[in-house]
Amino acid sequence: MKFSLFIHLERISADESQQKLYDEFLQLCEIADKGGMHAIWTGEHHGMNFTIAPNPFINLVDLARRTENVRLGTGTVIAPFWHPIKLAGEAAMADIIMDGRLELGIARGAYSFEYERMIPGLDAWEAGQRMRELVPAVKKLWDGDYTHEGEYWQFPKTTSAPQPMQDPHPPVWVAARDPNSHDFAVANGCNVQVTPLWNGDDEVESLMERFNDACEKSPSVPRPKIMLLRHTYVGGDEADVQQGAEEVNRFYNYFGAWFKNERPINQGLIEPLSDEDIANHPFYSAEQMRTNNVIGTSDKVIERLKHYEDLGYDEYSFWIDSGMTFERKKASLERFINEVMPAFQKDA
């Protein structure tokens, strides 16, 4: 099982310097590269200080000049916000600039906050349909001389300009949860990204079952890869681990508030939650985060990840977004690289 870093800029307060946040983002990515991680993933979001990521290709191209070995992935671009010709061309150009290190992750998107600003009236169902039309169209544009007559896009014979460096094209990943999404991804020769979010390992096992079922339905397609994305914190001792669980719990309370899209938002920042709001959440808690997400000392983290490896996951992505300070994120990532990853080396 390979390991990667999943990361965005997080701006919690208007007092935080955006340039400083980007410098910290770069430092964490450089640690991941030098530490032997397989990939770095960063996504696309708009108008949200919670995850500042207006165009992941810009970040990845910058990272390509600051790193040496790590693969660089979009985790993920939001399908309905892209025209197929635009996505095919920008991804291909990024792949050339990045010397063939691009991994292209695509999703339908999750936040109604973004839908109502980018494509008013869009809902999750239509966003999923747009993704299903976009993915095969991008692949055919990379092949070239492709005419498209779809429900959402129509265009005459077109070839992606440029075409990607990787042959036949960069690996394509689809974010999947329900069985139909797994079926679509596998049938179209795409790798699969999954996250159980705040749910426990029963969901991790169920997601793998959905993937395996999809593979059985498409026996003529070579088995793609599957990546598991989880919030991860490697603590130095019991008190540190507990603090990490409390911080991840606070993160998920804000995640849920953004998802519900009911609180006032000013200057890209959501109205702060009180300690009472967080304590009274009906199903988020620090204890649940510690039990369900991968939060513990290095030995406990290794034990959890060995189970995921045994289930058949090809890649585990360390989701570092958490609202923690840079210093705490850095310490956790370094413990993961120095104390956890060696347990998975082939000669270990």
Side-chain angles (χ1 to χ4, degrees), residues 79-91:
F81 301 163
W82 290 82
H83 188 286
I85 296 173
K86 181 175 174 63
L87 180 57
E90 290 199 24

Side-chain angles (χ1 to χ4, degrees), residues 3 16 22-23 34 50 60 82 111 124 139 147-148 159 164 172 202 216 231 236 276 316 324:
F3 297 102
E16 293 176 299
Y22 189 67
D23 289 343
K34 292 174 182 175
F50 185 62
L60 297 179
W82 290 82
Y111 294 105
K139 285 188 171 186
T147 301
H148 185 77
T159 301
V172 177
D202 55 342
E216 290 180 5
H231 272 96
E276 184 179 10
Y316 179 84
M324 297 179 188

Side-chain angles (χ1 to χ4, degrees), residues 299-317:
D299 57 332
K300 296 297 183 182
V301 171
I302 290 169
E303 183 180 339
R304 291 285 292 281
L305 299 190
K306 287 289 185 181
H307 176 55
Y308 301 157
E309 185 177 50
D310 290 342
L311 288 172
Y313 283 98
D314 299 289
E315 182 175 336
Y316 179 84
S317 198

Side-chain angles (χ1 to χ4, degrees), residues 186-205:
V186 173
N188 283 272
C190 299
N191 298 323
V192 173
Q193 298 174 335
V194 298
T195 178
L197 297 172
W198 62 88
N199 297 297
D201 282 356
D202 55 342
E203 179 71 1
V204 176
E205 294 163 5

Side-chain angles (χ1 to χ4, degrees), residues 148-276:
H148 185 77
E149 290 293 337
E151 180 178 358
Y152 301 104
W153 299 283
Q154 304 83 38
F155 49 85
K157 186 175 74 174
T158 309
T159 301
S160 174
Q163 289 169 308
M165 178 176 176
Q166 294 180 75
D167 185 17
H169 54 69
V172 177
W173 298 73
V174 169
R177 175 171 290 276
D178 65 81
N180 289 334
S181 297
H182 285 264
D183 293 345
F184 166 80
V186 173
N188 283 272
C190 299
N191 298 323
V192 173
Q193 298 174 335
V194 298
T195 178
L197 297 172
W198 62 88
N199 297 297
D201 282 356
D202 55 342
E203 179 71 1
V204 176
E205 294 163 5
S206 178
L207 288 164
M208 178 57 77
E209 290 172 2
R210 290 169 226 174
F211 176 73
N212 286 333
D213 289 345
C215 291
E216 290 180 5
K217 293 177 184 176
S218 297
S220 63
V221 178
R223 182 181 177 88
K225 295 179 180 178
I226 181 169
M227 181 187 90
L228 175 64
L229 169 65
R230 296 222 79 172
H231 272 96
T232 309
Y233 185 76
V234 185
D237 55 31
E238 169 61 27
D240 188 18
V241 170
Q242 183 60 30
Q243 182 178 345
E246 291 168 0
E247 290 165 324
V248 172
N249 180 52
R250 179 173 289 272
F251 173 92
Y252 266 106
N253 273 268
Y254 275 94
F255 173 88
W258 275 103
F259 190 81
K260 290 175 69 176
N261 194 29
E262 295 173 353
R263 296 179 74 85
I265 296 168
N266 295 297
Q267 295 295 315
L269 293 164
I270 198 166
E271 182 181 76
L273 297 167
S274 68
D275 290 342
E276 184 179 10

